[in-house]
Amino acid sequence: MMIFSRAKKRNLCKRRFFEVESHKALFIRKTTLQVVPYVIIKESVEAKEWQVLFDKRLACSFLKEAIFHSWPIEVHGVFIDLVLKDPAILGLDFLEPLNFSIDSGKYKKIGPRYFKGYKAGEAHLIVIVTPGAQSVYYHAHLIATYLDYIAKSSEALFAFNYPDLEDNLISVTSLDASVVSKKDIVLIGFALELQKMVVGSLACSLLSEKEGLHYTSRRYHLKSGYTLNFIEVHYDFISDNGKKLAAQFVHLGAQHVIYCGRLRTYEDVSNYYTRIFSPERYIKLEGSDPVRYITELENPFASAFPETATKWHLSQDRLSAPEALDEVCCSGDVESFDHDLAGIAAAIEDANHLFGRSTSFSPVHFAVDSFDSRCHKSRPYPLIDRDKQHYALRLIGSYLSRYFSSL
């Protein structure tokens, strides 16, 4: 048992007090997001697909209980550790954890957490998700669609984002030089899973390892002199969160960012989970308008494996109408789509200009679905086949092993 002196105890108490007080300032500004549910026709094919999605992503039993008891349902974009330290930052007197976890893969994630919260003695169902307007909207829209589907009403749902917390994501999560060092080749997305697949085939040694609430970093020194840094991000880094991550990697001096993940494609269904997509050019949409073209960002992975290089990649934020996709993609020059890659590419390009860097960017993705607007409207959240995904990750792992061996 560790014993502290009175002076040490006083200093610890002071530090915790100031930490809580500084975090409170991040919650002064609060925005309410308007969430419109997608209307599902019961007994349809799409209704069955949505039901699978609800069962995988939502704590349906708690949502039904909230409807039965007429509890307000609140979705908040905040890190769970901040709420547990001080529930009052959300206007709550008390929080009672509810047992729920989603299938987020083999490695831990700070996924949605459900609580029964109390305000002035009245019960509320509280859902805590990663900070950020897009992350809050993503989860709130799924909940709203479920509520509308089973109860024909989502009026009891309220979604809140905290812009100052979102703006200070990097400092709050302590993404600093203890996680990323200069000249690192950084890999995010399925990082620890791919690390286990790749490292055994390389001539390398473990350089450092850092386990944290928000990040796990494992750095390996290659015999060739390069340093690989597998970073598992334990929260959702969609939309603006991903841009902030990418810009900070550049700021910290990473020489190459590799991002492994999923996307959608116009290509034949036979390419789902079986083909690697590594875009070199990007279009960023706001609504239906192209607002940014990224064409000069180096992609060393695609240069090493030309068969993975693709034509234009399109990214549209989650709040825009999917019909805009058809208009932009009708030429056939766009091969892939997601919500985030173009924004991340733009963030790296901007940070390179700002800091005088030349950080390169290689998306190494696999396709899971189509992005035809008709499909996107009926299935805005693609269903993931975990067995096929494991095959796709093994394919990515084999490519990465060859790539790192060639450095």
Side-chain angles (χ1 to χ4, degrees):
M1 178 178 176
M2 192 173 291
I3 300 174
F4 295 110
S5 67
R6 289 184 179 179
K8 182 97 171 183
K9 286 180 179 177
R10 280 197 299 271
N11 289 336
L12 284 171
C13 289
K14 284 181 182 178
R15 189 171 70 185
R16 287 170 185 157
F17 170 79
F18 286 119
E19 282 178 355
V20 171
E21 290 301 304
S22 64
H23 287 148
K24 281 183 179 179
L26 301 175
F27 293 87
I28 293 174
R29 284 200 300 148
K30 179 169 75 171
T31 58
T32 302
L33 303 181
Q34 301 300 317
V35 182
V36 179
Y38 176 77
V39 178
I40 305 171
I41 301 173
K42 291 197 174 185
E43 308 303 327
S44 64
V45 173
E46 68 169 339
K48 295 177 181 177
E49 292 184 344
W50 276 96
Q51 190 59 60
V52 172
L53 194 65
F54 293 147
D55 292 341
K56 284 187 174 183
R57 302 282 183 88
L58 300 179
C60 297
S61 59
F62 297 140
L63 292 169
K64 288 177 180 177
E65 186 176 357
I67 293 170
F68 179 77
H69 292 291
S70 299
W71 298 340
I73 302 168
E74 299 180 5
V75 181
H76 294 267
V78 56
F79 286 118
I80 190 66
D81 56 315
L82 302 181
V83 177
L84 294 178
K85 284 179 184 175
D86 184 16
I89 59 178
L90 302 185
L92 300 169
D93 302 319
F94 177 72
L95 274 177
E96 176 188 332
L98 300 174
N99 185 25
F100 169 72
S101 63
I102 64 170
D103 176 15
S104 57
K106 187 175 180 181
Y107 299 97
K108 66 177 181 179
K109 287 262 187 183
I110 304 175
R113 294 280 299 276
Y114 285 68
F115 296 85
K116 191 174 179 181
Y118 294 89
K119 297 181 183 180
E122 294 186 0
H124 294 241
L125 183 64
I126 306 296
V127 185
I128 303 298
V129 302
T130 296
Q134 297 275 335
S135 179
V136 174
Y137 185 86
Y138 174 89
H139 293 285
H141 179 262
L142 189 57
I143 292 172
T145 300
Y146 177 73
L147 296 177
D148 185 77
Y149 180 63
I150 66 168
K152 289 301 176 189
S153 176
S154 58
E155 294 179 0
L157 177 68
F158 303 90
F160 302 107
N161 184 48
Y162 301 88
D164 292 324
L165 177 60
E166 183 179 6
D167 291 344
N168 288 276
L169 177 84
I170 297 303
S171 60
V172 170
T173 62
S174 299
L175 180 55
D176 52 30
S178 69
V179 181
V180 177
S181 297
K182 288 182 179 179
K183 299 295 183 182
D184 279 359
I185 297 174
V186 170
L187 186 146
I188 58 173
F190 304 102
L192 297 187
E193 200 163 347
L194 288 168
Q195 171 249 319
K196 288 185 177 296
M197 295 179 184
V198 170
V199 167
S201 65
L202 302 176
C204 66
S205 57
L206 182 64
L207 196 60
S208 66
E209 185 171 8
K210 179 180 171 114
E211 298 270 353
L213 177 61
H214 301 106
Y215 310 99
T216 294
S217 166
R218 292 180 185 164
R219 299 175 67 243
Y220 291 84
H221 181 72
L222 290 178
K223 190 176 181 179
S224 59
Y226 289 92
T227 300
L228 308 182
N229 190 346
F230 296 87
I231 300 177
E232 189 74 23
V233 182
H234 297 308
Y235 57 85
D236 288 336
F237 54 94
I238 61 176
S239 194
D240 287 347
N241 291 353
K243 298 174 197 174
K244 292 182 177 69
L245 273 176
Q248 182 68 351
F249 292 151
V250 176
H251 182 216
L252 292 170
Q255 65 172 299
H256 186 189
V257 177
I258 301 173
Y259 174 25
C260 302
R262 313 179 189 103
L263 48 67
R264 288 174 157 179
T265 179
Y266 256 148
E267 296 292 309
D268 188 83
V269 65
S270 63
N271 286 318
Y272 296 174
Y273 300 97
T274 61
R275 179 189 169 192
I276 304 303
F277 292 74
S278 192
E280 296 180 289
R281 297 182 296 169
Y282 310 84
I283 303 172
K284 188 174 184 292
L285 279 187
E286 285 185 7
S288 59
D289 300 318
V291 296
R292 180 81 177 263
Y293 294 85
I294 301 99
T295 61
E296 302 299 324
L297 200 57
E298 184 185 0
N299 181 346
F301 180 89
S303 297
F305 302 106
E307 71 273 16
T308 69
T310 59
K311 300 176 184 177
W312 289 96
H313 175 88
L314 178 71
S315 293
Q316 179 194 50
D317 70 56
R318 289 165 177 77
L319 307 183
S320 298
E323 288 85 351
L325 301 177
D326 293 333
E327 187 177 332
V328 176
C329 302
C330 61
S331 68
D333 288 334
V334 174
E335 285 190 75
S336 55
F337 163 80
D338 81 336
H339 295 295
D340 306 309
L341 276 181
I344 291 173
I348 291 176
E349 187 173 73
D350 291 344
N352 277 338
H353 292 155
L354 179 63
F355 298 113
R357 312 273 196 208
S358 56
T359 303
S360 53
F361 178 50
S362 296
V364 184
H365 279 46
F366 58 92
V368 297
D369 206 344
S370 166
F371 70 87
D372 181 288
S373 69
R374 292 166 297 175
C375 175
H376 189 278
K377 285 179 70 177
S378 65
R379 197 165 58 247
Y381 308 95
L383 298 174
I384 308 302
D385 186 314
R386 294 292 179 187
D387 291 333
K388 291 180 180 179
Q389 175 171 285
H390 185 64
Y391 171 84
L393 290 176
R394 289 205 312 270
L395 181 60
I396 288 176
S398 68
Y399 267 101
L400 289 174
S401 294
R402 290 158 56 198
Y403 176 69
F404 294 143
S405 295
S406 70
L407 295 178

